[in-house]
Amino acid sequence: MFQKILLAADGSEHSVRSAKQAIELAEKFSSLVEVVYVIDGQTAKADVLHATDKLEIEKKRKEKLKVVENLLIAAEIEYDITILHGEPDPTIVSYANDNAFDCVVIGSRGLNNLQTFILGSVSHKVAKRVNCPVMIVK
């Protein structure tokens, strides 16, 4: 059923919880998990300002996903890691729709109703626009 799962991750506590759920799905369906980390313009600028070279930037970005990667390795799940650039919600939606994923697993930041109304939430925007089932992990 879910042969190809997209896991949106950024190294946060929320993405670690969503990784655990993606692993459960992957174990049940013998799925491939593709971990996607989207770097927005603000993060990219900060990375460049605080790094000495490009290799250091790449290393720091991979370190953010190390916990998620270790969970996948421990569970013996086949996985790929993809780093994309852009605004998180449209970038995730576009990538998911263009690559025919069977499911997207994404963490929720836990915004309250007012914050969600004013700011919107990446997970809700992804759920509305992606062409496959979406699991939002609280």
Side-chain angles (χ1 to χ4, degrees):
M1 183 174 198
F2 297 127
Q3 298 304 306
K4 195 173 170 188
I5 299 170
L6 185 147
L7 169 62
D10 61 4
S12 68
E13 184 180 316
H14 302 288
S15 68
V16 171
R17 280 198 305 271
S18 59
K20 292 175 182 176
Q21 292 298 312
I23 288 168
E24 282 188 38
L25 280 177
E27 288 173 336
K28 288 178 184 172
F29 297 105
S30 301
S31 308
L32 165 74
V33 174
E34 185 160 349
V35 181
V36 174
Y37 175 35
V38 180
I39 300 162
D40 65 6
Q42 191 72 11
T43 303
K45 285 179 193 176
D47 288 349
V48 169
L49 289 173
H50 295 100
T52 56
D53 61 14
K54 188 176 181 177
L55 292 175
E56 184 182 342
I57 293 170
E58 293 296 320
K59 182 180 174 186
K60 285 183 178 182
R61 290 176 179 169
K62 288 181 180 180
E63 281 177 17
K64 286 185 178 184
L65 300 176
K66 199 64 178 167
V67 174
V68 171
E69 185 175 17
N70 288 340
L71 290 170
L72 290 161
I73 290 169
E76 298 179 356
I77 301 295
E78 185 180 350
Y79 71 95
D80 290 320
I81 295 177
T82 303
I83 297 175
L84 303 172
H85 296 271
E87 289 300 313
D89 41 324
T91 303
I92 292 168
V93 169
S94 176
Y95 192 77
N97 289 341
D98 292 347
N99 291 284
F101 284 93
D102 300 313
C103 179
V104 174
V105 180
I106 188 168
S108 170
R109 277 194 317 177
L111 299 176
N112 67 35
N113 288 339
L114 178 63
Q115 290 170 321
T116 301
F117 178 73
I118 294 171
L119 301 173
S121 119
V122 172
S123 57
H124 285 96
K125 290 175 185 174
V126 168
K128 282 197 276 187
R129 294 182 179 99
V130 87
N131 295 331
C132 64
V134 177
M135 176 187 286
I136 300 174
V137 180
K138 282 189 161 196

